[in-house]
Amino acid sequence: MFEPSRLNTSLPESITSFGRLLRAGGLKVGTAEIINAIEAVELVGVAEKDLFKWALQGTLITKHESVPFFDWAFDIFWQDPGRTGRAAVLLKKLAARKALTGTHSEPTARQPHSTARSSATGRGKSADRDDGSGVSQTSAYSADESLKQKHFEQFTEDDMRMAVEFLKQAKFNSGMRSSRRYTPGHRQIRLDLQKTIRKNALQNRDFIKLAWKQRKIKPRPVVILSDISGSMERYSRILLHFMHTLSRQIKTMEAFTFGTRLTRITHQIRSGDIEVAMGRISADVKDWNGGTRMGAALETFNRIWARRTLGNGAIVILISDGWDTGNNELLKSEMGRLQRSCHRLIWLNPNIGYDTFEPLTRGVLTLLPFADEFLPVHNLQSLLDLSRVLAGIGSSNTRAKGILPHSDNFGAYS
Amino acid sequence: MQAFNSIDHIIENLATYNYVADRPLATALFLALKMEKPLFLEGEAGVGKTEVAKVVASLLDTKLIRLQCYEGLDMQNALFEWNYARQILQIRLLEAAHETDQDKITKEIFGPEFLIRRPLLQAIDHQLDRAPVLLIDELDRADEEFEAFLLELLSDFQITIPEIGTIKAKYKPVVIITSNRTREIHDAVKRRCFYHWIDYPSAQRELAIVQLKLPSITSALGAQVVAFVQAAREMELYKQPGVAETLDWAAALAALGAAQLSYEAVEDTLGALLKYQDDLIKMRGDLAGGLVDRAISAANNPGIGSPPENV
Ligand SMILES: Nc1ncnc2c1ncn2[C@@H]1O[C@H](COP(=O)(O)OP(=O)(O)OP(=O)(O)O)[C@@H](O)[C@H]1O
Ligand SMILES: [Mg+2]
C-alpha cells in the first residue's frame, strides 16, 4: 500500500503544494488544474501509488515532454519530502535566473569597486565578508562590458585572447572556513579559559582580565570536476583557462576532468605557463569530446579522491551541462555521496545561459536536488558572479543555512 | 456506464472488443468519464488512438460521431450549414403559392429542417437516450482558429444559431480528442481535458494485440514479427512503424504462407511495415546485418528487452 509521506497535512492541501512545486519548475498549473487533480485523486484513492500518480499526471500536465520532470517532482514531493523545500528553491532560483538572462546586468559588473561585496548571493550581510575574503575585480582591468556578456559559444579567436587576459587578472577567492585552531581575538564570543587563568593567576588583582579567542580563519579548499565530453566541447578551452587562473590564486585547488573516465589534472594545471598546462592536459586526458558517464566518474572520485581532497570544508564545483548517458541510479547515489562529503556543492551549467533552458533532461533532474547552488557558466560575467558566490561562502560550518529553507517553509515559496 | 465502474473492469471490457489497454490508459478513461472531461489522447501514428473511441462507443452501446480534422476545416463542415439548394427550392415553391410576406418566408426557410447537421451539431442536438461518443480525430491537422471555437464548445456544449435559438445537449457527449502532434495543440484546450500519452506498446502487449486481431497467425510468427518491429523502433527511422503497420505486416507474411520469419519473406513484405524509401534502404542494410536472426532469437527469449509492464 502506498502511503504518501505527508499524512500530517490534508490531501487537498498537499496536492495544492505539489502544484506549486510543478509551477516552480515551469509547468502552467492553475487553480482549475488543482481542483481537477483533487477530484481525480478522490476518484481513484491513494491506496495504489500508480493510480494516484496517473490521476495527478493526467490532470496536471498537458505535454508528454513534461513527464520526466513530473516523475522527478512526484518522487521528491510524495516520497522524500525532506528535499522538497530545496527542490522548490532551486527551481525558483532557476526561473529567476532565466528571467534575468538576456537582460543580465548586475550593478556590480559596472562598478567593481564599490559594490563587489554587495548582496548578490543573498547573503551579503554575512560577517565573513569583512575579513578580506571578498573579490576584487581590479580596476586595472576593465573588460569591455560586451565581452563580459558575450556567450562563450560566440567567441572568436580574438575574444578568446582577450578573455584569457581578463582571466589572468581577475581575482578569485574561495571563501574562508574556521579551522579547529584558535587564535587570539577581540570579539567576545568564546572565552579562552586557559589563557584567562594564566593571565590572572599570578597577579593579585581583584578583577579578572578576560582573554578571548576565536577560530583561526583559513581559505577553503576547492575541487573542480569538469565535464569535457562532446556536449561541453565549446566551453572546455575557456573553462580550462578559468581553472588555471583559479589554481594560481587558490593554493588548495584540485582539478579533475571527466567524460567517460576521471582524470586528475591538478599538477598539469598548476604548471606556471598556461600554454604548457594546456599542452599537458590535452595529452593526458584521453576522453575528450566523447560520451558522458558521470555516475562512474563520480564513483571513482568518491572512492579514490574524496577523502584526500574534501577535508577541511571543501567547496566542490561541478561543471557540466547534465547530459549523461550512463547509469542514472549510480549517478544519483554518487552525487548524493559527493554532496554529503563537501561543504558546498556548486553546479555550473552553461545551458542556463539559454533562455529556452528547461530542467527536463534526466541528468539535470537527477543532479538538481543535490546542488547547493546552480549557476550559469556561459560568459565571463557568470565567472565573476561565481567569484562573488565563492567569496560569500562563510566560515560557518553548517551547510548553506541561509538559502535553503526547511521543507516546512515550502508554502512560502510560491 | 456499468462497464466503466472500475479500472479493471475497463481493461476486461475493452479486451472483449479486441482492444488491449494498459492500466494507465484504462485509468485515464475511467477518470475522464467520471469527471465528465474530454480525454485528450496524444501519441505517434498508429498506436491505437482512434480505435479507443470506436471501442468505447461500442462498449457504451452508443453512437460514435466522428469529426475528422483537416487543414481548412471550418464551421460549415464541423458544425452546421444551411442547405441553400433546398432553401431556394422552398422560396420558389412559396412564390408559386403567391406567398409575399417576407418575414414569413424567411422564418420558414431558416427552420431546423433546412440545417445540414455536421458532426459537432449532431453531438449536441441528438435525440438519443444516452450520451453519444464524439471523436475529434487528429485535431493537430485543423487550424488554430478552430481550437478557439472548440474551446467554447467544450465548456458548455451548447450553441446558438441566431435564426433558431440556443441548442443544448440533452446528454453531454463523451469526448475523445486525438492528436499526432504534427503541431502543439494550444494549452487552453488541453487543460480542459484529461491528458494521456499513448506510447508504443511493450512487446508483451503488442503480441497480445496481434493474437487478438489476427487469431489465425501462428504464435511463433506473431512473436517474431513483434520482436522484429520492436527492434525496428529502436532504429533511427524517418517514420517508426505503429501497431497498424505491425498488423498489416503480419497479415502480409501470413498471406505468403510464412510460418516463421525468414530473410526472403521479410524482403518481400517490407513495404507493409515501412512507408518511406529512406527507411526501406536503411532497413535493408540492417537485414544484411542479421536483424532477422536477432529478432528470432529475441522471440525465443521473451523477457529480454521487454521490460515488465502494468497490464
Ligand atoms: N491496444 C490495441 N489493441 C487492439 N488494437 C490496436 C491497439 N492499438 C492499435 N491497434 C490497432 O492498430 C491499428 C491502428 O490504430 P488507430 O488507427 O487507432 O491508431 P491511431 O493512433 O489513431 O493512428 P493514426 O494517428 O494513424 O490515426 C488499428 O487497426 C487498431 O485496431
Ligand atoms: Mg487515428
Side-chain angles (χ1 to χ4, degrees):
Chain A
M1 160 137 174
F2 173 58
E3 289 180 25
S5 42
R6 290 180 167 266
L7 295 175
N8 45 344
T9 43
S10 77
L11 203 54
E13 254 176 81
S14 297
I15 291 174
T16 309
S17 298
F18 180 56
R20 284 202 206 103
L21 176 62
L22 296 179
R23 201 152 55 208
L27 296 196
K28 298 198 191 86
V29 175
T31 315
E33 285 74 32
I34 300 283
I35 293 170
N36 287 340
I38 293 170
E39 188 189 344
V41 165
E42 276 167 359
L43 284 165
V44 297
V46 296
E48 197 182 321
K49 178 183 158 193
D50 284 342
L51 292 187
F52 174 69
K53 183 170 175 180
W54 297 330
L56 291 175
Q57 184 170 307
T59 46
L60 296 175
I61 74 170
T62 57
K63 254 197 214 131
H64 181 49
E65 285 75 10
S66 310
V67 171
F69 171 67
F70 179 90
D71 285 348
W72 172 79
F74 182 92
D75 286 347
I76 285 192
F77 187 87
W78 298 100
Q79 283 160 329
D80 191 5
R83 286 203 175 274
T84 304
R86 171 191 292 269
V89 170
L90 284 165
L91 291 170
K92 268 256 164 293
K93 286 176 138 193
L94 181 68
R97 195 155 277 129
K98 267 175 74 181
L100 267 183
T101 42
T103 54
H104 191 117
S105 59
E106 301 217 28
T108 38
R110 299 227 171 86
Q111 305 149 13
H113 297 300
S114 53
T115 51
R117 289 176 192 174
S118 77
S119 56
T121 60
R123 272 164 296 141
K125 294 221 170 65
S126 147
D128 317 297
R129 288 175 173 275
D130 296 329
D131 61 21
S133 65
V135 208
S136 44
Q137 293 152 31
T138 47
S139 59
Y141 178 77
S142 65
D144 175 14
E145 194 62 26
S146 69
L147 181 64
K148 279 196 215 157
Q149 304 295 346
K150 193 164 186 177
H151 205 293
F152 287 149
E153 210 182 27
Q154 292 156 359
F155 265 25
T156 61
E157 278 304 311
D158 269 354
D159 292 335
M160 191 71 188
R161 262 194 301 280
M162 288 192 323
V164 170
E165 283 311 307
F166 172 82
L167 284 177
K168 274 185 189 160
Q169 303 188 41
K171 294 255 188 302
F172 295 96
N173 197 319
S174 63
M176 295 293 169
R177 72 180 175 93
S178 48
S179 72
R180 294 265 156 73
R181 294 179 171 281
Y182 290 98
T183 181
H186 305 290
R187 284 154 66 201
Q188 304 182 357
I189 295 172
R190 204 180 299 264
L191 189 62
D192 192 339
L193 257 185
Q194 241 184 3
K195 204 165 174 186
T196 304
I197 292 168
R198 241 187 294 126
K199 259 187 177 170
N200 295 285
L202 302 175
Q203 294 166 20
N204 210 358
R205 286 203 224 133
D206 52 1
F207 70 94
I208 298 175
K209 192 168 181 220
L210 298 180
W212 299 98
K213 65 179 179 180
Q214 66 191 37
R215 285 190 191 266
K216 204 169 170 179
I217 304 283
K218 281 188 161 185
R220 292 184 180 280
V222 169
V223 175
I224 300 192
L225 298 165
S226 185
D227 184 340
I228 44 110
S229 61
S231 61
M232 291 290 291
E233 187 178 3
R234 305 169 287 216
Y235 307 102
S236 300
R237 204 166 131 215
I238 183 82
L239 289 174
L240 281 173
H241 278 287
F242 167 64
M243 285 155 76
H244 183 73
T245 302
L246 218 54
S247 74
R248 285 185 309 157
Q249 297 178 16
I250 300 173
K251 291 289 168 293
T252 47
M253 191 190 99
E254 284 280 345
F256 298 83
T257 60
F258 65 89
T260 53
R261 46 181 273 196
L262 185 80
T263 312
R264 183 174 183 232
I265 56 165
T266 304
H267 290 305
Q268 293 90 321
I269 212 155
R270 283 190 183 284
S271 349
D273 183 75
I274 180 72
E275 294 310 324
V276 175
M278 296 291 265
R280 290 184 59 185
I281 291 166
S282 42
D284 294 345
V285 172
K286 302 291 182 214
D287 52 344
W288 289 105
N289 305 334
T292 322
R293 285 201 286 279
M294 204 185 303
L298 293 184
E299 194 273 331
T300 310
F301 177 83
N302 286 335
R303 185 163 41 82
I304 299 175
W305 295 103
R307 225 169 314 136
R308 280 190 250 179
T309 58
L310 293 186
N312 303 329
I315 298 168
V316 171
I317 300 178
L318 175 70
I319 307 179
S320 171
D321 56 7
W323 267 107
D324 184 55
T325 47
N327 179 334
N328 203 45
E329 279 308 306
L330 182 68
L331 178 60
K332 188 169 168 184
S333 63
E334 294 302 328
M335 185 72 175
R337 248 172 87 190
L338 180 63
Q339 192 209 16
R340 286 191 298 278
S341 46
C342 67
H343 174 68
R344 194 70 61 84
L345 178 47
I346 299 177
W347 179 15
L348 303 182
N349 185 333
N351 289 346
I352 309 178
Y354 291 103
D355 287 346
T356 50
F357 177 72
E358 283 186 39
L360 295 182
T361 64
R362 196 187 56 167
V364 171
L365 291 173
T366 306
L367 296 176
L368 198 53
F370 299 105
D372 295 307
E373 297 277 356
F374 186 42
L375 303 168
V377 60
H378 63 295
N379 59 15
L380 290 175
Q381 184 60 50
S382 58
L383 296 178
L384 295 176
D385 292 345
L386 169 68
S387 74
R388 228 176 287 120
V389 171
L390 286 177
I393 295 177
S395 57
S396 158
N397 286 329
T398 47
R399 174 181 290 273
K401 234 191 193 154
I403 52 164
L404 298 177
H406 204 257
S407 60
D408 299 346
N409 295 343
F410 170 58
Y413 283 83
S414 38
Chain B
M1 295 281 257
Q2 195 61 25
F4 286 86
N5 270 341
S6 81
I7 289 158
D8 293 325
H9 253 114
I10 293 181
I11 295 177
E12 280 168 33
N13 286 319
L14 291 176
T16 61
Y17 284 87
N18 284 354
Y19 194 91
V20 187
D22 58 6
R23 278 198 109 215
L25 174 62
T27 308
L29 256 173
F30 173 79
L31 284 170
L33 285 162
K34 290 273 179 204
M35 295 168 73
E36 300 191 3
K37 288 199 160 297
L39 178 60
F40 195 104
L41 294 176
E42 230 170 9
E44 305 296 338
V47 292
K49 301 182 295 294
T50 304
E51 186 80 359
V52 170
K54 295 184 187 165
V55 172
V56 168
S58 315
L59 252 179
L60 293 174
D61 192 16
T62 190
K63 188 173 167 191
L64 175 73
I65 300 169
R66 176 173 182 173
L67 175 65
Q68 173 63 52
C69 299
Y70 52 88
E71 208 182 320
L73 174 67
D74 54 13
M75 291 312 131
Q76 280 96 51
N77 286 299
L79 193 59
F80 71 87
E81 195 173 8
W82 290 106
N83 190 336
Y84 295 118
R86 266 195 72 188
Q87 284 175 321
I88 287 169
L89 194 65
Q90 186 68 10
I91 293 172
R92 294 266 153 78
L93 286 173
L94 288 169
E95 278 170 359
H98 304 290
E99 179 59 71
T100 49
D101 184 343
Q102 288 299 317
D103 282 352
K104 207 172 165 200
I105 294 179
T106 308
K107 206 167 164 138
E108 182 146 358
I109 61 167
F110 285 103
E113 62 276 26
F114 293 92
L115 273 182
I116 301 176
R117 286 147 210 273
R118 302 295 188 197
L120 292 182
L121 184 58
Q122 289 172 26
I124 292 171
D125 188 23
H126 57 77
Q127 299 305 318
L128 304 168
D129 61 353
R130 66 191 70 180
V133 170
L134 170 62
L135 166 64
I136 301 176
D137 212 8
E138 308 187 355
L139 179 58
D140 51 328
R141 295 213 202 164
D143 309 291
E144 280 173 52
E145 302 84 74
F146 184 71
E147 288 171 36
F149 166 75
L150 198 59
L151 197 59
E152 237 175 83
L153 185 88
L154 293 179
S155 61
D156 47 14
F157 287 102
Q158 64 174 36
I159 57 158
T160 301
I161 301 174
E163 298 85 353
I164 293 181
T166 299
I167 304 173
K168 198 168 167 63
K170 190 156 58 152
Y171 301 98
K172 274 210 243 168
V174 171
V175 181
I176 296 181
I177 302 177
T178 79
S179 162
N180 280 1
R181 280 218 312 187
T182 52
R183 70 175 174 85
E184 281 300 334
I185 300 299
H186 199 283
D187 231 27
V189 173
K190 293 200 211 161
R191 282 145 177 278
R192 292 222 174 268
C193 307
F194 192 95
Y195 179 84
H196 182 73
W197 171 267
I198 301 193
D199 227 328
Y200 290 115
S202 64
Q204 190 190 348
R205 198 154 61 85
E206 192 158 26
L207 185 56
I209 297 170
V210 170
Q211 285 167 344
L212 211 54
K213 292 264 159 137
L214 302 168
S216 60
I217 276 185
T218 66
S219 58
L221 181 62
Q224 290 166 6
V225 162
V226 167
F228 188 99
V229 173
Q230 297 263 333
R233 289 197 189 115
E234 299 292 313
M235 294 168 57
E236 279 184 17
L237 295 174
Y238 183 74
K239 185 182 171 305
Q240 297 186 10
V243 180
E245 283 75 21
T246 310
L247 292 171
D248 286 351
W249 187 45
L253 285 163
L256 279 186
Q260 294 259 347
L261 277 197
S262 67
Y263 182 86
E264 293 73 24
V266 171
E267 265 282 331
D268 290 347
T269 52
L270 210 48
L273 185 66
L274 302 174
K275 307 293 178 192
Y276 287 87
Q277 196 54 31
D278 287 355
D279 288 348
L280 284 167
I281 291 168
K282 183 161 192 167
M283 179 59 85
R284 296 223 157 87
D286 274 52
L287 286 182
L291 185 61
V292 173
D293 291 337
R294 286 202 298 281
I296 291 174
S297 84
N300 290 334
N301 301 296
I304 297 172
S306 60
E309 187 198 21
N310 294 299
V311 176

